[in-house]
Amino acid sequence: MGALLWLLIPVGAGLVAAAWSSWALRNRKTGDVAELAGYARFRDAMEKQHSVPDPAPAASDSA
């Protein structure tokens, strides 16, 4: 009976590993569209050239 009990440990670990692997390899269809849209907005924002006003010319100190 003791040997049967020790056999249940690896069998249980195998079942847990199989359940975890099926959960880890599941099909993830959500998220890509939102992430790609966010990346497109980021790329558009980085491509925009923001015009920075030139600072007012200071009075010449060379006088």
Side-chain angles (χ1 to χ4, degrees):
M1 188 67 179
L4 190 59
L5 187 61
W6 278 103
L7 183 62
L8 287 177
I9 294 172
V11 169
L15 290 174
V16 169
W20 177 82
S21 65
S22 66
W23 177 79
L25 295 175
R26 70 189 184 279
N27 227 353
R28 295 183 184 112
K29 294 181 181 178
T30 61
D32 286 344
V33 175
E35 291 175 10
L36 290 175
Y39 176 70
R41 286 192 307 269
F42 171 76
R43 190 178 60 226
D44 291 340
M46 289 293 118
E47 288 176 355
K48 286 182 184 176
Q49 292 183 357
H50 298 287
S51 60
V52 177
D54 292 333
S60 180
D61 291 333
S62 62

